């Protein structure tokens, strides 16, 4: 039974080294300067008050520090989840801010429940449901959606309507009608320029913090509020008590569906980020433990008026560059944010809303992977098409339907690969060991009367007819072969449909004098074939342990020798 020492936070405390303390303290201070503006900006991206972003940042850092397995991973409000939260919460809240906060907190609790149950059920592999091309398209669509949604705020006005096309139309109409606030546009565009320039030329500098400080200073010195620039205002002081959100029973269904999508994106993001940082330190990644850690972070956030969270690669990189050694850095950051809320609630009262929009837009630009999309175009047109379909799903249908489209496309892409797998004939290349594809080596030698055929997929109902047709085509050659040897190592499974079809295929081939032979067939698959159907139609002697053994048997039986295909 797991004991108290098995809790990651407790285990870290007992094994903590004094030499780590100064680095973790410094990293915590640096981290807090990034978490505050981003937390407020991503809260507004989710359609929630800025203060909820700070509550969320504090509690998820503490929750993950106690139960999360990674030493340096930083969780918090995330730009990729903001639109998903807004899409789930805002239609149900119908303009009621308090109700929106309660719904978002319940959403976090549902995400926590999904993660914990998934960890108990050892479902960490579910992160693999989103392939890289699909994830690239999804993130590109999300980046465009976030960018367009923040443009009105960047220029000092708001628009009505949901969906990318309506938001673009509303923004263009607002600009045409003169709704633009000049001072707001200067602050917003200037903020983007400052952040991007600092990230480009001084990547170690806290670009977001510097921009926020400059924006507050400009608002205070020039009285930008009098020129129509909206500001954050004084944040509520104090810290909320732990509460269970009060939501309607009818809301749980839509929230649960959204929570499933958020959990999938959060898990995929966390696993990829954790893997990249763990590779640098030699740590091992356990998807199930990460699910539990994410669940703990969301549970803590949901109980304190927070919303769903995910891992941030940028914040984790900042913590690592600042010297973080353990999750104590996150605890220090959470403590500093708490002190700010309790003692200095007016610190950000003059922070202009266009500056927060600039923070979100810069984050959206980091989500987009244009270079990766171009690489897909060069390397694989089918994968590129999947990526574009995922992009269009998010952009045209919305964020929540878009994640469903992304998952379906990933699954269909796997199905496509097994439905129409790579298949080839093999031959012998002088000077090379083994047997090689005639497609790659068209001058490889073959044995007259023998066809070596490789089918790179499991045999199941969707591709069994393809396999049968390929074998029938090979058997119909002139002159017909005497043996068709299936290089069966890639055939790792077979279902009833395929077994029955193979049984009929063996009978059909024997009628025309062609033997179907299997080489390198995995023993469990062979036993399954014999149990299902094929054992009735194939002599056990026609199963060979290697392709070489099958070739040797054919040469012994026929006396054939290797020739070039042209001969």
């Amino acid at each position: 039974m797991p004991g108290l020492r098995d809790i990651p936070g407790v285990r870290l405390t007992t094994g903590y080294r004094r030499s780590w303390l100064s680095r973790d303290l410094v990293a915590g201070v640096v981290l807090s300067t990034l978490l505050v503006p981003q937390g407020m900006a991503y809260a507004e991206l989710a359609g929630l008050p800025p203060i909820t972003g700070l509550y969320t940042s504090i509690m998820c850092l503490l929750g993950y520090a106690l139960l999360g397995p990674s030493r340096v991973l930083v969780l918090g409000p995330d730009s990729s989840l903001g639109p998903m939260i807004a899409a789930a919460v805002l239609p149900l809240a119908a303009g009621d801010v308090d109700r929106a906060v309660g719904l978002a907190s319940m959403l976090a609790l549902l995400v926590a429940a999904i993660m914990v149950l998934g960890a108990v059920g050892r479902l960490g592999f579910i992160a693999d449901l989103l392939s890289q091309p699909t994830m690239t398209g999804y993130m590109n669509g999300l980046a465009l959606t976030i960018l367009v949604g923040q443009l009105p705020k960047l220029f000092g006005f708001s628009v009505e309507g949901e969906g990318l096309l309506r938001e673009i139309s509303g923004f263009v109409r607002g600009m045409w009608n003169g709704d633009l606030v000049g001072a707001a546009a200067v602050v917003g565009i200037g903020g983007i320029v400052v952040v991007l320039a600092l990230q480009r030329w001084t990547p170690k500098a806290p670009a977001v913090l510097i921009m926020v400080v400059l924006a507050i200073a400009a608002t205070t010195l020039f009285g930008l509020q009098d020129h129509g620039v909206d500001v954050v205002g004084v944040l509520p002081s104090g810290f909320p008590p732990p509460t269970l959100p009060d939501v309607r029973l009818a809301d749980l269904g839509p929230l649960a569906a959204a929570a499933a999508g958020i959990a999938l994106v959060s898990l995929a993001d966390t696993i990829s980020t954790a893997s990249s940082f763990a590779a640098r330190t030699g740590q091992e990644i356990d998807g199930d433990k990460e699910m539990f850690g994410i669940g703990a972070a969301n549970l803590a956030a949901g109980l304190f008026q927070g919303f769903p969270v995910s891992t941030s690669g940028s914040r984790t990189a900042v913590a690592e560059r600042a010297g973080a050694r353990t999750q104590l850095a996150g605890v220090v950051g959470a403590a500093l944010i708490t002190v700010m809320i309790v003692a200095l609630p007016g610190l950000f009262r003059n922070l202009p809303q266009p500056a927060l929009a600039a923070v979100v837009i810069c984050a959206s630009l980091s989500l987009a992977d244009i270079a990766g999309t171009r690489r897909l175009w060069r390397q694989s047109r089918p994968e590129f098409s999947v990526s574009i379909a995922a992009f269009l799903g998010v952009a045209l249908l919305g964020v929540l339907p878009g994640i469903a489209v992304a998952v379906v496309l990933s699954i269909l892409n796997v199905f496509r690969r097994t439905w129409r797998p790579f298949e080839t004939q093999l031959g012998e290349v002088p000077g090379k060991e083994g047997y090689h594809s005639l497609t790659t080596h068209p001058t490889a030698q073959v044995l007259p009367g023998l066809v070596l055929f490789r089918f790179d997929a499991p045999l199941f109902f969707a591709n069994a007819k393809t396999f049968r047709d390929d074998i029938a085509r090979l058997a119909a050659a002139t002159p017909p072969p005497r043996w068709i040897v299936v290089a069966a190592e890639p055939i790792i499974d077979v279902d009833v449909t395929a077994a029955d079809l193979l049984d009929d295929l063996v009978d059909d081939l024997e009628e025309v004098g062609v033997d179907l032979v299997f080489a390198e067939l995995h023993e469990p698959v062979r036993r399954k074939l014999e149990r299902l159907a094929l054992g009735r139609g194939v002599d056990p002697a026609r199963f060979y342990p290697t392709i070489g053994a099958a070739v040797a048997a054919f040469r012994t039986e026929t006396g054939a020798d290797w020739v070039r295909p042209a001969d």
Side-chain angles (χ1 to χ4, degrees):
M1 292 290 292
L4 188 63
R5 290 182 177 272
D6 294 313
I7 298 175
V10 175
R11 188 169 62 248
L12 177 63
T13 301
T14 57
Y16 195 83
R17 300 179 186 175
R18 183 177 298 179
S19 59
W20 294 344
L21 182 59
S22 60
R23 291 177 176 271
D24 280 340
L25 290 175
V26 171
V29 173
V30 173
L31 193 59
S32 66
T33 63
L34 180 65
L35 291 170
V36 171
Q38 283 192 344
M40 291 192 294
Y42 297 159
E44 294 211 335
L45 177 62
L48 302 169
I51 188 65
T52 61
L54 302 184
Y55 297 155
T56 302
S57 299
I58 293 168
M59 296 313 302
C60 76
L61 287 172
L62 297 178
Y64 190 84
L66 179 62
L67 296 174
S70 173
R71 287 188 176 183
V72 297
L73 217 57
V74 178
L75 271 68
D78 190 68
S79 58
S80 64
L81 299 188
M84 300 178 72
I85 298 168
V89 167
L90 297 186
L92 299 175
D96 187 335
V97 176
D98 292 336
R99 180 162 154 72
V101 172
L103 290 166
S105 297
M106 178 55 73
L107 190 60
L109 295 180
L110 291 172
V111 171
I114 291 172
M115 288 294 188
V116 172
L117 290 174
V120 172
R122 305 189 66 82
L123 300 179
F125 67 89
I126 289 178
D128 297 333
L129 284 178
L130 288 175
S131 67
Q132 187 57 48
T134 307
M135 199 66 178
T136 297
Y138 173 77
M139 286 300 180
N140 286 340
L142 195 61
L144 179 61
T145 300
I146 294 172
L147 176 63
V148 171
Q150 292 295 306
L151 284 178
K153 185 176 175 181
L154 189 77
F155 287 92
F157 64 95
S158 60
V159 300
E160 298 293 333
E162 298 179 0
L164 181 67
L165 298 180
R166 290 182 180 177
E167 288 179 345
I168 292 175
S169 174
F171 174 70
V172 172
R173 187 164 51 251
M175 295 290 286
W176 180 264
N177 294 335
D179 295 337
L180 175 146
V181 177
V186 171
V187 171
I189 296 174
I192 293 175
V193 171
V194 168
V195 171
L196 295 181
L198 290 174
Q199 289 177 343
R200 168 73 173 172
W201 302 113
T202 56
K204 293 187 177 182
V208 172
L209 177 65
I210 292 172
M211 185 273 287
V212 165
V213 170
L214 292 175
I216 293 174
T219 302
T220 304
L221 291 175
F222 301 110
L224 296 183
Q225 288 176 269
D226 298 332
H227 296 279
V229 177
D230 292 331
V231 296
V232 169
V234 178
L235 298 175
S237 61
F239 200 80
T243 55
L244 283 174
D246 183 16
V247 300
R248 301 167 186 167
L249 187 61
D251 296 333
L252 293 180
L255 289 178
I262 290 172
L264 180 59
V265 172
S266 179
L267 179 62
D269 193 19
T270 298
I271 295 298
S272 62
T273 303
S275 299
S276 63
F277 281 94
R280 307 178 191 179
T281 59
Q283 285 185 277
E284 293 291 333
I285 296 301
D286 187 322
D288 300 319
K289 291 181 179 179
E290 286 297 348
M291 287 188 83
F292 198 83
I294 302 168
N298 277 281
L299 175 63
L303 292 175
F304 288 87
Q305 298 184 17
F307 50 85
V309 298
S310 180
T311 303
S312 168
S314 62
R315 290 190 291 268
T316 303
V318 167
E320 185 190 50
R321 286 199 303 265
R325 290 294 180 268
T326 69
Q327 287 295 330
L328 179 61
V331 174
V332 172
L336 291 175
I337 300 173
T338 304
V339 170
M340 190 208 77
I341 293 175
V342 174
L344 301 169
L347 184 62
F348 289 93
R349 65 179 179 275
N350 286 335
L351 175 59
Q353 293 285 357
L356 290 181
V359 173
V360 174
I361 287 175
C362 290
S364 74
L365 296 177
S366 68
L367 292 177
D369 188 2
I370 306 303
T373 305
R374 288 199 301 264
R375 185 172 63 254
L376 287 174
W377 170 261
R378 294 193 302 268
Q379 294 177 344
S380 173
R381 297 299 168 84
E383 301 275 25
F384 173 80
S385 300
V386 169
S387 180
I388 293 300
F391 166 79
L392 293 175
V394 176
L396 300 180
L397 300 179
V399 178
L400 292 179
I403 187 64
V405 169
V407 172
V408 170
L409 286 174
S410 290
I411 295 172
L412 289 178
N413 194 33
V414 173
F415 188 78
R416 177 187 64 84
R417 289 177 179 273
T418 53
W419 177 43
R420 292 290 184 184
F422 177 76
E423 53 194 28
T424 187
Q425 294 182 54
L426 305 177
E428 184 183 65
V429 178
K432 285 191 174 185
E433 293 185 2
Y435 301 89
H436 305 273
S437 170
L438 297 183
T439 303
T440 308
H441 302 278
T443 59
Q445 298 181 130
V446 297
L447 288 171
L450 174 71
V451 173
L452 299 176
F453 176 68
R454 193 175 74 200
F455 189 82
D456 286 358
L459 276 175
F460 68 119
F461 66 93
N463 63 18
K465 292 183 178 179
T466 300
F467 179 86
R468 180 198 62 190
D469 294 343
D470 290 337
I471 296 294
R473 173 178 50 80
L474 295 173
T478 302
R482 295 179 59 178
W483 282 21
I484 296 178
V485 177
V486 179
E489 183 185 20
I491 302 177
I492 59 174
D493 195 13
V494 62
D495 68 0
V496 174
T497 303
D500 289 344
L501 188 145
L502 284 173
D503 198 26
D504 295 336
L505 179 61
V506 169
D507 293 339
D508 294 340
L509 292 177
E510 286 183 346
E511 289 180 3
V512 296
V514 178
D515 289 331
L516 186 64
V517 175
F518 290 87
E520 300 183 349
L521 187 67
H522 297 282
E523 186 62 27
V525 182
R526 175 179 169 175
R527 289 197 301 267
K528 189 173 182 181
L529 280 173
E530 293 173 342
R531 184 175 71 252
L532 292 175
L534 193 56
R536 300 192 304 270
V538 173
D539 184 344
R542 294 304 186 184
F543 290 101
Y544 289 90
T546 65
I547 300 175
V551 168
F554 178 80
R555 295 186 69 184
T556 299
E557 179 177 310
T558 64
D561 200 3
W562 294 102
V563 297
R564 292 184 181 274
D567 299 332

